[in-house]
Amino acid sequence: MNFLTNIIVNAIIFVALSGFWPNSFHVSSIWVALGAAVVLAILNVLVKPIIKFFSFPITIVTLGLFSLVINGLMLEITSWIVGSQFWFSSFWVAIGIAILMSIIDVIVNEFFSHQHSD
């Protein structure tokens, strides 16, 4: 998936997941979701590699499961930057949303990769 498609897909995922758990994950509008998707993309390019580098030992010890915590942290930082129109009720909810986003991302990437190979 290209950068723009990834942002649009993440925005749709944000809106959809906030609809399933409105008391745990809040996104006030599609525009806020798009803004949050842009912020998340920028964080994933600029901040996430640094955090992954320094957390490499604990990621190895936990057999990669610590990467879920890193993804939840990226969502929490996104929430902090975007503000009160995009929030999680707890860090555990952010980790849960990160897990669901990862699963959905794999499915969407698989769909797009099959579309281009035909």
Side-chain angles (χ1 to χ4, degrees), residues 63-110:
L63 303 175
L65 290 176
F66 192 73
S67 62
L68 299 174
V69 174
I70 295 171
N71 290 342
L73 180 64
M74 291 298 101
L75 286 174
E76 281 287 344
I77 295 170
T78 300
S79 171
W80 179 74
I81 292 171
V82 172
S84 64
Q85 297 179 334
F86 182 89
W87 54 263
F88 302 94
S89 62
S90 71
F91 183 65
W92 294 108
V93 171
I95 291 174
I97 295 296
I99 292 168
L100 291 171
M101 287 183 70
S102 296
I103 293 168
I104 294 168
D105 191 50
V106 166
I107 293 168
V108 170
N109 278 328
E110 189 67 25

Side-chain angles (χ1 to χ4, degrees), residues 11-81:
I12 292 169
I13 292 170
F14 285 152
V15 171
L17 293 177
S18 71
F20 282 113
W21 295 284
N23 295 328
S24 299
F25 176 39
H26 175 75
V27 179
S28 64
S29 71
I30 187 66
W31 300 111
V32 171
L34 278 169
V38 168
V39 169
L40 181 62
I42 293 168
L43 288 172
N44 282 339
V45 169
L46 299 177
V47 177
K48 190 174 181 179
I50 297 166
I51 292 174
K52 285 177 79 171
F53 176 77
F54 287 111
S55 66
F56 184 70
I58 194 167
T59 303
I60 294 298
V61 170
T62 62
L63 303 175
L65 290 176
F66 192 73
S67 62
L68 299 174
V69 174
I70 295 171
N71 290 342
L73 180 64
M74 291 298 101
L75 286 174
E76 281 287 344
I77 295 170
T78 300
S79 171
W80 179 74
I81 292 171

